[in-house]
Amino acid sequence: MKRLLFSAACLLAATTVSAQQVQTVEIKADDWAEGEPPKEVFVVDGTIKIAARDGNKAIVVDPNPITDASAQLGTSAAGNASIEAKILAIKRGRSTPRFGISVHGMSGHRLIVNPAKKLLELVRNDQTLASIPYTWTSEVWLKLKLEAQKGEGNAWAITGKVWPADAAEPAEAQIKHEDKGLKGQGKCAVWATPFSGEPVFFDDIKISVETAPAS
């Protein structure tokens, strides 16, 4: 797996846009010790650790216990937000996991791969807002990208993409939804429910969020 040139686990940069700042974070686990996650990975629920896969370390959702596990990453947004992650999950027999990424905290939008339903879903507060057919392949790295961009008035454009990790990012989003009246606050996160009893791996995570101006 090709790695970027820097070796730090987390790179943070900030630029000023209007009255807000845009902070970008690239997260890799190679410099972290295996075992308990560092403070940069805020575990909300489930068992999450740092472990190796294919010769590289990753953030791993352990299947013990099997629950809706999640970990928040980066800085809390106060506006637009996006997250991209490379993910590998594994089926066992007919049992498949469910996994994805999210923006704007625990009640924000989530982009979820649901192999049992053969769908890519956009979910918020346990309500499915949009979905498209998607056939998942076990033990193959893929990439997910979720963006929430504020438009005119109180309108928000929520878009999602999925593609093989060894291929180019699609030019157009495959799943789209317009929402209104969002607060646009909270951290990005990774999610997984390891129904198959196998771990779910997250690597090469890229986050970009607008944050409140410094006081």
Side-chain angles (χ1 to χ4, degrees):
M1 187 189 312
K2 185 176 180 181
R3 313 301 295 179
L4 297 184
L5 294 179
F6 67 91
S7 61
C10 182
L11 175 66
L12 178 65
T15 56
T16 301
V17 177
S18 301
Q20 291 179 305
Q21 286 189 326
V22 175
Q23 291 194 347
T24 59
V25 181
E26 295 187 15
I27 298 173
K28 297 179 181 294
D30 281 346
D31 283 356
W32 291 334
E34 293 191 36
E36 292 296 316
K39 62 182 180 180
E40 290 89 347
V41 181
F42 179 75
V43 178
V44 178
D45 201 359
T47 303
I48 295 177
K49 59 186 181 181
I50 306 302
R53 174 79 188 192
D54 297 337
N56 297 295
K57 294 176 188 174
I59 298 171
V60 181
V61 174
D62 192 274
N64 299 301
I66 296 175
T67 187
D68 287 327
S70 63
Q72 295 184 339
L73 307 162
T75 303
S76 184
N80 296 342
S82 70
I83 177 173
E84 175 185 320
K86 184 165 62 174
I87 309 170
L88 182 142
I90 304 165
K91 70 177 183 178
R92 181 191 290 177
R94 294 184 179 181
S95 297
T96 57
R98 183 176 61 200
F99 54 88
I101 53 180
S102 71
V103 295
H104 294 149
M106 297 299 292
S107 61
H109 292 86
R110 285 177 282 162
L111 184 65
I112 300 292
V113 175
N114 193 333
K117 295 182 179 179
K118 295 185 177 181
L119 292 175
L120 176 69
E121 300 175 315
L122 182 65
V123 177
R124 183 168 182 248
N125 292 330
D126 296 325
Q127 178 184 2
T128 300
L129 304 174
S131 64
I132 60 170
Y134 179 72
T135 301
W136 165 76
T137 302
S138 177
E139 296 189 69
V140 173
W141 288 98
L142 59 83
K143 286 189 175 183
L144 288 179
K145 186 173 184 178
L146 175 64
E147 296 181 286
Q149 301 286 325
K150 193 174 188 307
E152 295 184 2
N154 64 351
W156 286 78
I158 316 298
T159 59
K161 298 179 181 180
V162 59
W163 69 97
D166 59 357
E169 177 182 342
E172 298 293 329
Q174 296 119 320
I175 196 164
K176 301 177 182 179
H177 177 75
E178 184 177 291
D179 219 328
K180 293 184 178 181
L182 304 180
K183 291 182 178 180
Q185 297 175 352
K187 292 185 177 183
C188 295
V190 295
W191 295 75
T193 311
F195 290 125
S196 63
E198 298 288 347
V200 180
F201 298 82
F202 294 85
D203 196 13
D204 294 354
I205 301 169
K206 300 176 182 179
I207 292 171
S208 178
V209 297
E210 283 187 346
T211 61
S215 56

